Amino acid sequence: MMHKEDFWWRNSIGYVIYPSAYYDFNGDGVGDLRGIVSKLDYIASLGVDLLWICPFFDSPMDDNGYDVRDYYHVNPLFGSDEDFRLLIKEAHARGIRLLVDFVLNHTSDEHPLFQMALRHPKGKEAGYYYIRKGRRRKGKLYPPNNWKGYFSTSAWKRIEGTDKFYLHLFSEKMPDVNWENKDLRQYYYNVARYYLDLGVDGFRLDAVSHLGKDQSFGDSELPLDEDGMVLDSSKFANREEVFSYLREFREEVLDHYDCLTVAEAGGCLSPEDSLKMSDKEKGSIDMVFNFDCCWCNGAYGSIDKNDNEIHTDVLALKRNFKRWYLATKDHVSSLPLYWCNHDHPRALSQYGDINFRKESGKMLITCLLFQYGTPFLYYGEEIGMSNVTYKSIRDFDIDISAKNASAYFKKLGYKDDRILSFLCRTSRVNGRQPMQWGKKRYASFSKVSPKTKVNPNYKDGVNVEDNEKDPSSILHYERKAAAIRKDPDIHKMIFEGRFAYIDEANYDVFAYCYFHKGEILSVVCNFRSRNIEFYLPNPMDEVLLHNYDGYSYAKDRLILRPFECLVVKGKRHG
Ligand code: GLC
């Protein structure tokens, strides 16, 4: 196994970029790789040294690039292969490492391998996909089983002119590939080698938990929906086979490079099971993204709820962070930390409050950054970007999963306004709006009207330009926070200290601390938009970070203002 510089990513701060939304360099309304290159100095200024860039490979863009048509070339919409090489070089020149988003559960239906599979049902490529005969009942043809996919439709699509169907857990333009097939696995290993040889520093492994399927393809026994289908993850998520595929991937490819792999392992993987993938000694990959801290406010599936019924469940957040911490601490495994990515609404709208944009934006950064693990910020968090303000459900049709969800809810009889408020609250389109660089038209993201609408709040100070000018902005705070997080002493306290929650049962305040060699580092975060009295028994000798001026503290009691947060250090007395 290659020496991994004792896991360099332990001291990294990651940053996630959705390439179509970051910066439009060539003026066609879509962000591109040259746009990212031109912003690398800005990215470095955030204290970020690890980038995960969502897919930019050749694609018909049915799922915005997660439907790959050609793994070996950059989508012309995002630039050229040359631009990608430039990005690697320029990022490395600034000490920034680069993770490519590797989609290995499915290809586009326009990928030559799938096209071959369709043309030659007996050819070897047909074995790269899951193609099965449908079932006939009373003369009608039905899919091979009752599985529903993740994008609100059947997981099967009929191959026109035949009685066969292919499996697609996501969009129907993304047929799942068959990892049982040895040649198919080799195909992906070659793609991985190609990018590692090109100089990338690793991969975010897309939808990796779905690589193994129940090969009997029997019906699910779970209760069916009105269309006779059911989303039963046990049939295709985190099955034992996934772990052996990944082991082979490691032996054949990853072990031969100094690289980082972060798997997207979905909401149904326990921290203990995740170690089958990411255990430092026995695992195959380095860390596993879980979803457990993304929906701790009741918003998931909340079509029947009103906005005022959505509340951050601070206890659930603490519980979830802790169970992952307990499973991975003592360097058993690395642990990625994040609030949201391109599949989620904006963290500020989820757990913060746009009426306290600065305060809550800073608080969320603080709460995440000082936890045990490798934090990944999502682009725009550093300037307080929040959810869309769309007035029509049609605006969400730019995302296939939102489009399918609207159609599904309409069919169930939901009114447009209810679907609209649901999408505004939960849709991943929220996390894909153009980065707000300045006050000029289209938020200085592009010179022409962007394909995805810009959030009008860029005119109200939610942009980089205004943040740069304002010494009390979220942006300046983030830079300071990142520098503190990277201080070797603080790093030691986080990774070697003894972690504990402070007043764990408190349902308004997320507060934690580390004890290390006679010192205590405490992080206190108020998650409410009102004053909260909080008992802090730890010493406050030095305030390292604070999102308000001055504080009210007497006899171990803090009166925390809305979303107030502090990072304090002190010597243990007695
Ligand atoms: C992952 C991606 C998501 C995509 C899906 C299918 O969950 O993060 O954006 O739609 O996989 O590739």
Side-chain angles (χ1 to χ4, degrees):
M1 188 175 174
M2 293 281 294
H3 174 58
K4 293 200 170 184
E5 287 176 39
D6 195 26
F7 300 98
W8 48 261
W9 51 87
R10 288 238 158 91
N11 198 26
S12 292
I13 298 183
Y15 187 68
V16 186
I17 290 185
Y18 200 61
S20 60
Y22 203 58
Y23 183 62
D24 176 18
F25 189 80
N26 68 350
D28 62 356
V30 180
D32 43 48
L33 297 185
R34 287 299 291 269
I36 301 173
V37 173
S38 72
K39 299 293 183 187
L40 283 171
D41 285 334
Y42 167 80
I43 293 167
S45 82
L46 302 175
V48 162
D49 49 11
L50 179 62
L51 282 187
W52 151 23
I53 304 181
C54 293
F56 47 80
F57 313 103
D58 180 50
S59 158
M61 300 296 275
D62 185 63
D63 187 18
N64 290 317
Y66 281 93
D67 47 324
V68 181
R69 182 167 48 201
D70 179 350
Y71 287 90
Y72 289 99
H73 293 293
V74 169
N75 184 341
L77 198 61
F78 297 129
S80 64
D81 297 352
E82 199 43 51
D83 293 343
F84 182 48
R85 278 187 216 111
L86 180 72
L87 175 60
I88 300 175
K89 185 169 149 250
E90 292 296 321
H92 285 172
R94 291 164 179 79
I96 298 173
R97 287 172 155 116
L98 215 79
L99 300 183
V100 157
D101 205 327
F102 192 19
V103 187
L104 26 68
N105 175 67
H106 41 265
T107 65
S108 160
D109 63 344
E110 297 181 28
H111 193 288
L113 291 177
F114 189 65
Q115 290 299 314
M116 287 291 276
L118 292 184
R119 249 179 277 134
H120 305 287
K122 294 216 159 67
K124 79 171 171 74
E125 288 82 2
Y128 290 2
Y129 294 88
Y130 294 106
I131 297 175
R132 296 287 182 277
K133 271 201 166 150
R135 295 191 283 198
R136 272 196 193 282
R137 273 191 225 126
K138 294 188 185 146
K140 241 183 119 188
L141 190 64
Y142 291 91
N145 63 30
N146 62 9
W147 297 0
K148 186 172 176 173
Y150 288 99
F151 285 177
S152 315
T153 64
S154 163
W156 297 93
K157 166 89 177 156
R158 185 173 176 181
I159 301 176
E160 241 173 80
T162 75
D163 60 354
K164 289 186 182 154
F165 289 71
Y166 64 84
L167 182 76
H168 63 91
L169 295 184
F170 296 91
S171 140
E172 63 178 43
K173 276 186 69 63
M174 306 198 311
D176 280 51
V177 293
N178 176 8
W179 270 71
E180 272 296 290
N181 186 302
K182 209 165 120 275
D183 293 341
L184 183 275
R185 297 202 298 274
Q186 289 301 327
Y187 172 81
Y188 278 104
Y189 300 160
N190 282 334
V191 176
R193 285 186 199 105
Y194 171 78
Y195 281 101
L196 292 165
D197 288 339
L198 212 58
V200 308
D201 302 286
F203 302 106
R204 179 255 186 187
L205 301 172
D206 182 64
V208 82
S209 39
H210 305 303
L211 298 189
K213 280 59 173 186
D214 176 353
Q215 298 284 331
S216 73
F217 290 100
D219 276 335
S220 166
E221 305 286 312
L222 295 181
L224 304 180
D225 71 6
E226 28 320 292
D227 295 318
M229 305 180 285
V230 59
L231 176 58
D232 179 356
S233 291
S234 71
K235 301 285 185 195
F236 39 71
N238 299 311
R239 299 175 61 84
E240 278 306 311
E241 310 88 81
V242 177
F243 307 113
S244 57
Y245 300 149
L246 289 177
R247 208 158 304 128
E248 185 185 84
F249 184 24
R250 166 179 161 171
E251 282 160 15
E252 297 221 8
V253 183
L254 304 172
D255 273 355
H256 306 281
Y257 296 85
D258 175 18
C259 62
L260 164 65
T261 42
V262 193
E264 181 202 32
C268 40
L269 185 67
S270 72
E272 292 68 32
D273 279 348
S274 80
L275 295 179
K276 291 187 198 159
M277 291 190 198
S278 65
D279 179 280
K280 190 178 167 191
E281 306 300 334
K282 291 175 268 162
S284 323
I285 48 123
D286 301 305
M287 19 176 158
V288 171
F289 273 123
N290 68 82
F291 299 172
D292 295 358
C293 296
C294 300
W295 295 103
C296 296
N297 62 353
Y300 191 79
S302 61
I303 184 83
D304 293 314
K305 289 185 188 166
N306 297 319
D307 281 347
N308 60 9
E309 293 170 77
I310 305 295
H311 300 289
T312 307
D313 184 344
V314 179
L315 292 180
L317 275 178
K318 286 193 255 193
R319 212 168 36 242
N320 287 332
F321 273 118
K322 186 170 168 182
R323 56 193 208 109
W324 282 89
Y325 165 75
L326 288 176
T328 57
K329 72 178 174 128
D330 301 330
H331 307 318
V332 171
S333 158
S334 299
L335 177 66
L337 306 164
Y338 73 112
W339 287 125
C340 72
N341 61 32
H342 66 291
D343 288 332
H344 303 285
R346 287 264 166 199
L348 195 134
S349 302
Q350 283 272 90
Y351 300 142
D353 184 337
I354 52 170
N355 298 312
F356 291 95
R357 192 180 298 275
K358 265 191 192 176
E359 294 81 359
S360 61
K362 292 174 185 177
M363 184 281 285
L364 288 170
I365 288 172
T366 307
C367 188
L368 191 78
L369 221 52
F370 291 89
Q371 296 200 42
Y372 175 96
T374 304
F376 283 79
L377 300 174
Y378 190 55
Y379 83 91
E381 277 176 6
E382 74 276 21
I383 53 166
M385 282 175 65
S386 50
N387 280 357
V388 299
T389 52
Y390 292 161
K391 300 281 180 282
S392 158
I393 52 174
R394 276 198 304 275
D395 285 329
F396 291 91
D397 285 353
I398 51 171
D399 170 36
I400 182 73
S401 100
K403 191 175 171 189
N404 288 357
S406 294
Y408 175 70
F409 286 126
K410 270 194 167 181
K411 207 168 123 195
L412 293 185
Y414 284 94
K415 297 259 169 1
D416 277 15
D417 56 348
R418 177 142 300 266
I419 300 175
L420 177 66
S421 63
F422 171 68
L423 291 175
C424 283
R425 183 161 68 219
T426 58
S427 161
R428 55 191 200 167
V429 171
N430 286 300
R432 301 175 174 192
Q433 284 196 294
M435 174 71 175
Q436 295 161 207
W437 291 103
K439 280 188 297 202
K440 289 211 196 92
R441 207 161 176 214
Y442 311 128
S444 315
F445 160 79
S446 174
K447 292 198 177 53
V448 301
S449 175
K451 296 257 156 60
T452 306
K453 283 187 188 168
V454 171
N455 193 316
N457 66 22
Y458 77 89
K459 294 179 199 139
D460 307 322
V462 187
N463 65 66
V464 174
E465 197 184 328
D466 283 330
N467 268 253
E468 290 285 9
K469 283 188 209 139
D470 172 9
S472 73
S473 68
I474 304 177
L475 180 59
H476 287 297
Y477 182 94
E478 185 282 334
R479 287 179 179 141
K480 189 172 172 198
I484 297 171
R485 172 64 167 74
K486 291 200 148 190
D487 178 299
D489 288 340
I490 301 292
H491 178 79
K492 258 204 194 106
M493 293 189 85
I494 296 175
F495 280 93
E496 287 162 29
R498 185 168 61 78
F499 170 88
Y501 279 121
I502 311 167
D503 189 5
E504 188 166 351
N506 191 306
Y507 43 78
D508 298 314
V509 179
F510 192 126
Y512 55 97
C513 61
Y514 301 92
F515 300 88
H516 186 251
K517 296 192 174 155
E519 283 197 313
I520 309 178
L521 180 76
S522 309
V523 181
V524 179
C525 299
N526 178 10
F527 267 73
R528 301 295 175 217
S529 52
R530 55 177 200 279
N531 285 5
I532 302 285
E533 196 175 309
F534 186 71
Y535 177 68
L536 180 68
N538 297 346
M540 300 231 312
D541 302 347
E542 194 187 347
V543 177
L544 302 179
L545 200 60
H546 189 195
N547 62 349
Y548 277 84
D549 287 331
Y551 49 80
S552 158
Y553 180 63
K555 296 197 177 127
D556 292 347
R557 284 202 182 271
L558 273 167
I559 307 294
L560 296 168
R561 285 156 284 183
F563 298 101
E564 184 165 0
C565 67
L566 303 105
V567 179
V568 300
K569 212 168 124 175
K571 289 238 178 299
R572 200 195 304 223
H573 302 297

